[in-house]
Amino acid sequence: MQDPDLELLIKAAQSSGEIATGFAMDRLKKWDKDEGAGPVTEADLAVNAYLEDTLQAARPDYGWLSEETEDSEARLKKSRAFVIDPIDGTRSFIEGSTTWAHSIAVVEDGRPVAAVVYLPLRQKLYSAALGQGATLNGKPIMASRRSKLEGSELLAARPAFEPHHWKSGPPDLKRAYRPSLAYRLALVAEGRYDGMLTLRRSWEWDIAAGALLITEAGAQVTDRKGADLRFNKSDPASNGVVASSANIHAELIKALA
């Protein structure tokens, strides 16, 4: 029997995809947020409004944390909360790429318990519920079991491989990249890559759903220092993210400066 929260998230993600893809890209209204926080579009806000209305109506006792909603301390008093990025990879969305995603999670006492990462233009719906494994389009997925860091394939932005980020320079790794952080985490959960890392301050709404996909697929995820990730915090961010095959995770953390 499917977890009720996960069932709710899947339906919401699918409807979000219909909303986002319904916008005419040649007439899309877009602007930059204050303080260099990146671009936003009318599609981001439309998806956010739909999710906020739908999810909070279905679970009125849950807190709410979204990139596109002004934050409120009320969520901190809730045992369960939605953690949402209506469109992760807004720049990709604006450019007409297919790699943007809806990232939707429920966290309980700081830990994700239900999660969906949905890429409507790639028809890829990743989902997970705590203790029930992770799936892609309903089929179970499993993370890489790679046991050797050298030669591993990692998703990371180019600056993460600058020498000063590593104790002895970057290891011999193959690097790839996807703009959406949620999608990067999902690809590691799927076993397409051995790991991913971002060394920048990372917002909870980008990583909560992907973090559950990672652990339910048998991989490991922490911040850049190896500390467990916690969600629905007063400061909703982590000190980077490192996710990988459990067999190479400790070695990867040890190699970082």
Side-chain angles (χ1 to χ4, degrees), residues 161-172 251-257:
F161 277 71
E162 293 175 357
H164 68 275
H165 289 306
W166 305 85
K167 290 176 181 174
S168 302
D172 181 17
E251 189 178 355
L252 185 54
I253 292 291
K254 187 176 179 180
L256 287 166

Side-chain angles (χ1 to χ4, degrees), residues 186-208:
L187 286 168
V188 175
E190 188 184 349
R192 292 270 303 278
Y193 294 89
D194 301 307
M196 62 75 62
L197 62 89
T198 179
L199 304 180
R200 301 171 60 182
R201 176 176 163 88
S202 304
W203 295 107
E204 289 186 11
W205 46 74
D206 291 329
I207 60 178

Side-chain angles (χ1 to χ4, degrees), residues 117-155:
V117 173
Y118 179 43
L119 287 82
L121 293 182
R122 295 201 166 198
Q123 298 181 327
K124 300 180 79 169
L125 194 151
Y126 299 88
S127 64
L130 186 63
Q132 296 184 21
T135 66
L136 169 57
N137 295 338
K139 296 181 180 179
I141 54 176
M142 182 177 292
S144 164
R145 294 294 186 265
R146 186 175 179 86
S147 59
K148 187 177 180 181
L149 180 59
E150 184 177 352
S152 295
E153 292 188 84
L154 260 64
L155 288 159

